[in-house]
Amino acid sequence: MSLCKKKRQDDFQKVKLKVGKTKPKADNATNINFRTKGINLTEQLKKDANAPTTHRKLNIKDLLSQLHHYSGTVKQGALVGLRELLTLHPSELDQHLSSLLSEAAAVFTDKDPNVRMSATRLLRFIAQSVPAERTSPFFPLLSAHLSCAMTHIETGIQEDALKVLDVLLDHYPALLAARPALLLNNFLELISHRSTGGGARKGQEGKGRSWALSVNPNRNVTGQQWRLTVLLRLGRFLQAVVEERRAEEGVACVSGDMFSVLNGQGGANAPLELNWEELTYRKGGFQVFEHSGAMPTPHSTFKLRPETEPGAGVSEGLGTGEAVRGFASTLVPLLLDVWVEASASDRSKTDSAHLLTPDAMSLMYQVLSILQLLRKLAPQREYQDTLDVWFRSEYLGDFKQHFMKNFPYGNLDTPKQRRKTDPKRSKQSTTIPGQTVEPLALNVLLCQVMVSMVTLSQREGQAQEPDAEWLMPLRGFVQETLSSGAKLSQRHLHTLLETVWRMVITQRSRAVTEDLLQAVYVQYQQMNLNLQTRTLLLSFYSRLYLQEHNHTHIARSRVLSRWLAALPLQLSQLGHRNPALSDRLLLSIQAAASRGNKALLNSLHTHACRLYDPQEGSVVLLPAESQQRLVQLLYFLPVMSQGLLANLSRCCTAGRVSAGLAASLIRIIHLRSSLSGWSVGSQDMTLRDVDYISFLFSTLTGFSSDELATLQEAGDESVLPPSPLSPLSLYPTPLEQFTHHWDVVEEVCHCLETLGSRSQCFDVLQNGICKNLTGLAVVPDSMAAGLLRAVARLLDLSFLPSEPLLRFLSRCCLSLLSLLLTLQQDTAVWGACVAVLSSIPRLLRLVLQSLRVKDLCEEELPQLAQILSLLLQHTALRNHMLANATLLQHIIQDLTRYCRGESKEQWMTDLLYCYSVTMATHRGNLGLRDIY
């Protein structure tokens, strides 16, 4: 015992310190007898002086590296710095897009809410600057981080994930819609959870539900508000999926709604535009496909994957009808439960079940919107019908019980209580978008959803009495809303029109159809409607009219007849003030005219003169495409009056329609004439033969009688005075008008050539010229050239023209030849002169006889010599010039006599040379010595 105590004392002996002695060093004392030297790594610490930085002198690499810091404040500062840097230097965004997206997405699930908020703002800034094409390679990474945030255990991260989803839906909806399966499951998990109990809902006994609504007491908002927030995003996402599918398939409506194609959004089959004038002389042909692509390609019924089990969520994409039905079988019961829970809590606040609070109304609106979008997810039309039948068989009873029982709904006026508001609570409530829903929007959407429950059997005319009970209040609400006269928004009106469309097609009742169409007509008759609304109503009536051949209850509708009869008057009144709306009116008129609607054709005949007025008519004021439709309508007119033909002739010659369109107009009138030999159905005696000939003659001249009379009286300075070389005073028309009239003349000549006897046709033309034109002193040059062209093309060799006609034509020809020398252009006119001179030898002799050298002044002698030289040089006139050799010799002798001077002018030398060459071909071989 004593030994152990002694040993312990030896271990813990106390050192005794003595005064004056050095204190011993401790065992752990530090030796400070050393020296240090610094090492500078210059290259490692060197920074790029040219790299853009923030106000804190941090470049983009520094900021991206700070996002990996453990401190939330540092990460938030880095995100704010990135926004600042990208704002000042946008080029950095292009160089570091991959790093920016990956690093920003990585903090979607950060525990600090300020970091998540800054990341969302940075993502929005990037999305506003970068198009979807450049973001698509990195979008799978964004989607993965978004899914992680949506399914995170922290409620705050889930709420911020929806804000990220808002950014992507605003800027990249197509990229999100390309991967719908995973996100749809995430939506389900936000408001529900998988249940293992297998409880059964009323009406679905035997069908276990694998999903049930969930409640999280840790959220800062109520369960109803949270579900509304989630359903808002789900509705936007489903809308993006529907629109992406439409874009991929290139159709206006994937879901097969009949009325959706009316809204001017394109169609599944674009019309085939053919230009017959270009194809006439082309060697290669073109192929016309069967049905013009209107009939869908049959889809295979074989399946490579098993069908999705009901209630299994979304295990695959929404590319098949079975997948859509599988997802709907999971979501629709949850939506019904959401509404049942909200309506139960709402009934405690009021005794009137049809009055809803704003929150309940917003929730019901979102539920109905999602139900409507589920129908539009069907990939093909046949799946649409199958899906509608499935919806009816599964949920019609539930919809009638929960939705139709208290229809229509209204707002519940709740008194505002004055109490101290919680700033935190008020801030949270404002973050929920779209809470204000009007009762009209809710009721209209409910009508659309419920009417879509009509089965295919009803479309075949098999009426079902139970459906009439719940359809009657819907029809009454629709009629009352449309007949009230109140202006509706385009969205509400479109939904109501689609509802009316489906009711009309499915009810198959003439009385119901008339009532509904009359209610729509009240909206159509409103004043000052915008273009979109007016176009929507026009499309509705036009499309419904096209259905009358399949539905007897639509045929001969009084409302449709009244609408059609008013269209021509509306078109004439509208004119060019709204070309787009005028074009829509023309489409409707054209569709009815092609079907021979008597009400429209009679109205079109009544207002035809106003529509085709050459000064203020729609045919000259509207764009070229609308002008073409108006010209095509002439084919369907029952009768063409003299006044209408006069207007049409002036339209062709005034130059306010293109030459090609004027030629089309002339051809259509030619086909409607009995002289053309064509029979146009039962529309005989459309126009009299004399009126048709008058139309062609007026179009050939290019000027009306009033305009010609004005030219004779007016002392216009632009009119060329008469002279010995120009017997007529020519009125020079602008080159564009001259060219236009020349093309019109060619078409008129073509029509006249096909009228049977050419001699009779020329006789009529001769009488018209002699009666109306030979006494003119002032003649437009385009009319003179056109007459020469027509005479050259229509002259029959067995017909002898009258002397007055030949004298008038000789004056026209000589005046044009003189004008051509002055202008030195218009080879087509020179060809017309040569053609008529070669066709009528007597006319050439009259022209030569009118050339009196003694009446010419000295300045006109060179012009005469040039005219003779041109005539001598032309091969077609050589024989005729030789026949008038004596007369030609006297003219040249007179020119030589009046040409004074020691040396002859060049023009005289050229004339003598041409004359000698021409005469050399003559057997007499006359020489120059015979001239002098």
Side-chain angles (χ1 to χ4, degrees):
M1 193 70 181
S2 60
L3 292 174
C4 293
K5 183 176 182 181
K6 184 178 180 180
K7 185 177 180 181
R8 185 172 62 246
Q9 291 176 354
D10 293 340
D11 292 337
F12 299 97
Q13 288 182 0
K14 183 177 182 181
V15 180
K16 295 181 179 181
L17 302 178
K18 295 181 180 182
V19 181
K21 299 293 184 180
T22 304
K23 182 179 178 180
K25 294 182 180 181
D27 294 338
N28 59 350
T30 302
N31 185 9
I32 60 174
N33 295 325
F34 61 86
R35 294 182 180 180
T36 61
K37 290 184 178 181
I39 302 176
N40 295 327
L41 303 178
T42 57
E43 295 298 330
Q44 182 177 352
L45 300 178
K46 185 177 180 180
K47 293 186 177 181
D48 187 5
N50 298 326
T53 60
T54 62
H55 71 283
R56 297 169 54 196
K57 305 302 180 183
L58 297 175
N59 58 24
I60 193 168
K61 293 183 179 179
D62 298 334
L63 296 172
L64 290 175
S65 64
Q66 288 183 2
L67 291 179
H68 298 278
H69 200 274
Y70 67 89
S71 174
T73 305
V74 175
K75 288 188 282 189
Q76 182 187 4
L79 292 169
V80 174
L82 285 173
R83 285 184 58 200
E84 175 190 350
L85 184 65
L86 297 178
T87 304
L88 297 175
H89 306 281
S91 60
E92 293 293 300
L93 183 58
D94 299 332
Q95 300 177 11
H96 304 278
L97 180 60
S98 175
S99 301
L100 288 169
L101 290 176
S102 60
E103 296 296 340
V107 294
F108 287 167
T109 55
D110 194 88
K111 61 182 180 180
D112 192 338
N114 295 326
V115 174
R116 299 194 300 268
M117 180 177 62
S118 299
T120 305
R121 292 176 179 174
L122 177 62
L123 180 63
R124 185 178 296 277
F125 177 82
I126 295 175
Q128 292 173 350
S129 306
V130 181
E133 294 78 10
R134 295 195 54 216
T135 313
S136 57
F138 318 108
F139 204 79
L141 181 61
L142 284 175
S143 299
H145 284 288
L146 175 61
S147 298
C148 291
M150 293 177 67
T151 57
H152 202 276
I153 193 173
E154 293 290 337
T155 58
I157 296 178
Q158 293 180 5
E159 295 170 2
D160 290 337
L162 295 182
K163 299 177 183 178
V164 175
L165 181 63
D166 288 337
V167 176
L168 299 181
L169 285 173
D170 290 338
H171 300 281
Y172 306 124
L175 298 179
L176 269 180
R179 303 172 180 85
L182 184 59
L183 284 179
L184 289 176
N185 266 329
N186 294 340
F187 278 113
L188 293 177
E189 293 178 1
L190 286 175
I191 61 173
S192 62
H193 64 276
R194 291 182 181 271
S195 61
T196 57
R201 178 174 55 87
K202 182 180 179 180
Q204 278 191 331
E205 289 80 0
K207 292 186 178 181
R209 294 178 54 192
S210 58
W211 292 81
L213 291 180
S214 61
V215 178
N216 192 338
N218 296 326
R219 296 192 185 278
N220 296 326
V221 294
T222 63
Q224 182 176 337
Q225 290 177 334
W226 171 246
R227 289 164 190 157
L228 175 59
T229 305
V230 175
L231 292 181
L232 281 169
R233 274 63 175 213
L234 177 58
R236 292 186 61 194
F237 178 71
L238 291 178
Q239 182 66 36
V241 174
V242 171
E243 292 177 357
E244 176 64 15
R245 183 163 296 167
R246 293 176 182 177
E248 289 179 355
E249 298 188 7
V251 298
C253 182
V254 180
S255 62
D257 292 333
M258 297 181 182
F259 178 66
S260 297
V261 296
L262 307 181
N263 202 14
Q265 300 173 353
N269 304 296
L272 180 62
E273 298 290 345
L274 296 178
N275 190 333
W276 298 107
E277 296 174 351
E278 296 180 359
L279 294 171
T280 302
Y281 302 105
R282 186 179 299 176
K283 295 183 179 180
F286 60 92
Q287 185 177 3
V288 179
F289 297 96
E290 185 179 6
H291 307 301
S292 300
M295 299 198 59
T297 304
H299 298 277
S300 175
T301 57
F302 293 99
K303 300 179 178 62
L304 300 180
R305 295 182 181 179
E307 296 183 2
T308 305
E309 298 180 3
V314 187
S315 59
E316 59 180 17
L318 300 177
T320 62
E322 291 78 9
V324 175
R325 190 172 65 179
F327 175 63
S329 63
T330 302
L331 181 60
V332 174
L334 293 176
L335 296 177
L336 291 174
D337 290 346
V338 168
W339 170 240
V340 169
E341 181 180 330
S343 60
S345 62
D346 217 40
R347 289 195 194 98
S348 62
K349 302 178 182 179
T350 179
D351 297 334
S352 301
H354 69 283
L355 298 179
L356 303 178
T357 60
D359 290 342
M361 190 168 292
S362 299
L363 188 61
M364 185 179 185
Y365 184 83
Q366 292 305 319
V367 169
L368 294 174
S369 299
I370 293 173
L371 290 175
Q372 186 65 14
L373 288 171
L374 285 176
R375 294 184 56 253
K376 296 181 180 181
L377 289 176
Q380 285 90 22
R381 176 63 188 274
E382 56 268 24
Y383 289 124
Q384 172 67 67
D385 296 336
T386 305
L387 191 61
D388 286 344
V389 173
W390 178 80
F391 262 107
R392 176 186 174 87
S393 62
E394 293 290 332
Y395 302 110
L396 179 59
D398 294 327
F399 288 0
K400 290 192 296 183
Q401 177 184 356
H402 299 301
F403 298 145
M404 289 298 302
K405 186 176 181 180
N406 302 311
F407 177 83
Y409 294 94
N411 262 330
L412 175 63
D413 296 331
T414 56
K416 297 182 179 180
Q417 300 179 359
R418 295 183 178 180
R419 61 180 181 179
K420 187 177 180 180
T421 58
D422 185 2
K424 183 177 180 181
R425 189 70 175 178
S426 62
K427 181 179 179 180
Q428 290 165 355
S429 62
T430 56
T431 58
I432 302 176
Q435 286 190 342
T436 304
V437 175
E438 298 178 358
L440 177 61
L442 177 65
N443 293 323
V444 166
L445 181 59
L446 180 56
C447 291
Q448 185 183 25
V449 172
M450 293 305 299
V451 171
S452 66
M453 304 295 289
V454 180
T455 59
L456 291 174
S457 60
Q458 287 176 286
R459 298 178 191 175
E460 297 170 359
Q462 300 176 8
Q464 297 183 8
E465 292 298 330
D467 287 339
E469 298 180 2
W470 58 269
L471 282 176
M472 186 174 297
L474 294 175
R475 186 170 65 248
F477 173 79
V478 171
Q479 291 181 10
E480 182 181 356
T481 304
L482 291 172
S483 303
S484 64
K487 289 188 176 180
L488 303 171
S489 66
Q490 186 183 1
R491 183 176 182 180
H492 293 165
L493 182 60
H494 183 276
T495 306
L496 285 171
L497 291 181
E498 186 174 345
T499 304
V500 170
W501 174 277
R502 189 132 187 164
M503 284 183 177
V504 169
I505 298 298
T506 56
Q507 293 294 295
R508 292 183 176 273
S509 169
R510 184 176 294 275
V512 172
T513 300
E514 289 295 313
D515 293 340
L516 291 172
L517 294 184
Q518 180 60 38
V520 177
Y521 198 69
V522 174
Q523 289 289 322
Y524 183 82
Q525 288 180 315
Q526 288 187 355
M527 304 293 292
N528 300 323
L529 294 178
N530 57 34
L531 175 61
Q532 292 78 12
T533 302
R534 184 70 69 182
T535 303
L536 190 62
L537 291 165
L538 279 172
S539 300
F540 170 80
Y541 275 120
S542 179
R543 182 71 175 180
L544 191 65
Y545 171 73
L546 296 179
Q547 297 293 324
E548 67 172 6
H549 65 287
N550 294 328
H551 303 278
T552 55
H553 63 286
I554 301 177
R556 296 182 300 278
S557 169
R558 289 175 295 179
V559 178
L560 280 177
S561 298
R562 186 163 65 251
W563 168 74
L564 288 171
L567 291 181
L569 177 60
Q570 295 173 15
L571 179 62
S572 63
Q573 293 174 344
L574 183 62
H576 66 288
R577 290 178 295 174
N578 196 327
L581 184 57
S582 297
D583 189 66
R584 295 297 306 180
L585 286 170
L586 277 171
L587 288 174
S588 302
I589 294 174
Q590 200 172 30
S594 63
R595 292 169 174 262
N597 187 275
K598 293 183 179 180
L600 179 126
L601 292 177
N602 292 334
S603 177
L604 189 62
H605 170 66
T606 303
H607 304 283
C609 291
R610 186 173 178 179
L611 288 171
Y612 296 95
D613 186 84
Q615 299 297 330
E616 300 295 334
S618 301
V619 71
V620 296
L621 298 177
L622 291 177
E625 186 176 358
S626 299
Q627 289 179 349
Q628 183 177 5
R629 290 194 174 96
L630 271 169
V631 170
Q632 292 170 353
L633 283 177
L634 293 172
Y635 186 82
F636 306 104
L637 273 180
V639 177
M640 293 186 182
S641 61
Q642 292 183 355
L644 175 60
L645 290 173
N647 287 351
L648 293 176
S649 174
R650 193 70 192 100
C651 290
C652 292
T653 58
R656 301 187 68 176
V657 299
S658 64
L661 188 58
S664 300
L665 189 153
I666 296 171
R667 284 195 294 267
I668 290 176
I669 296 179
H670 175 71
L671 292 176
R672 299 302 305 277
S673 171
S674 60
L675 296 176
S676 65
W678 287 71
S679 59
V680 188
S682 60
Q683 296 180 354
D684 47 358
M685 290 303 295
T686 301
L687 69 164
R688 299 183 304 169
D689 295 343
V690 62
D691 294 337
Y692 173 61
I693 296 298
S694 299
F695 164 78
L696 292 180
F697 183 77
S698 300
T699 308
L700 179 65
T701 58
F703 287 81
S704 64
S705 57
D706 295 338
E707 291 174 331
L708 291 176
T710 304
L711 285 178
Q712 310 307 313
E713 299 174 359
D716 196 343
E717 296 180 357
S718 60
V719 176
L720 301 179
S723 65
L725 286 182
S726 180
L728 296 175
S729 295
L730 290 181
Y731 171 73
T733 56
L735 179 60
E736 183 178 358
Q737 181 181 353
F738 190 98
T739 306
H740 174 87
H741 182 68
W742 186 263
D743 295 335
V744 171
V745 167
E746 292 289 344
E747 187 61 35
V748 171
C749 293
H750 174 74
C751 294
L752 289 173
E753 287 174 341
T754 60
L755 293 185
S757 174
R758 178 168 292 191
S759 59
Q760 294 179 355
C761 179
F762 189 85
D763 188 22
V764 172
L765 178 63
Q766 175 179 262
N767 293 334
I769 295 175
C770 294
K771 183 177 179 181
N772 300 284
L773 305 179
T774 54
L776 298 178
V778 180
V779 177
D781 57 353
S782 58
M783 185 180 77
L787 291 175
L788 294 178
R789 178 60 177 165
V791 169
R793 289 188 59 173
L794 300 175
L795 179 64
D796 187 75
L797 297 179
S798 61
F799 186 86
L800 294 177
S802 63
E803 191 68 18
L805 174 66
L806 292 178
R807 293 188 179 279
F808 176 73
L809 293 180
S810 66
R811 294 197 298 270
C812 290
C813 186
L814 185 57
S815 300
L816 283 177
L817 290 175
S818 177
L819 179 64
L820 289 178
L821 292 179
T822 305
L823 300 178
Q824 297 182 355
Q825 54 184 358
D826 286 334
T827 56
V829 179
W830 166 252
C833 294
V834 171
V836 71
L837 291 174
S838 60
S839 302
I840 309 176
R842 171 67 177 161
L843 180 61
L844 177 61
R845 185 171 185 83
L846 289 176
V847 170
L848 294 177
Q849 288 176 352
S850 62
L851 298 176
R852 297 182 176 86
V853 180
K854 63 180 180 179
D855 298 334
L856 301 180
C857 62
E858 189 174 352
E859 290 77 9
E860 292 176 337
L861 295 178
Q863 296 184 10
L864 175 59
Q866 293 180 27
I867 291 175
L868 294 176
S869 299
L870 292 174
L871 295 176
L872 289 169
Q873 293 174 11
H874 209 283
T875 307
L877 297 176
R878 180 171 299 171
N879 293 332
H880 301 294
M881 295 296 288
L882 291 175
N884 296 282
T886 304
L887 182 59
L888 183 62
Q889 181 178 353
H890 287 301
I891 296 174
I892 295 177
Q893 288 177 351
D894 292 340
L895 276 175
T896 306
R897 186 179 307 111
Y898 284 97
C899 181
R900 300 182 178 91
E902 298 179 357
S903 59
K904 295 183 175 62
E905 298 289 342
Q906 182 64 38
W907 53 267
M908 190 64 197
T909 305
D910 296 340
L911 174 60
L912 294 177
Y913 174 77
C914 294
Y915 177 77
S916 62
V917 171
T918 303
M919 293 297 105
T921 59
H922 194 259
R923 293 180 180 179
N925 195 16
L926 296 175
L928 291 178
R929 59 183 179 85
D930 298 325
I931 299 177
Y932 303 101

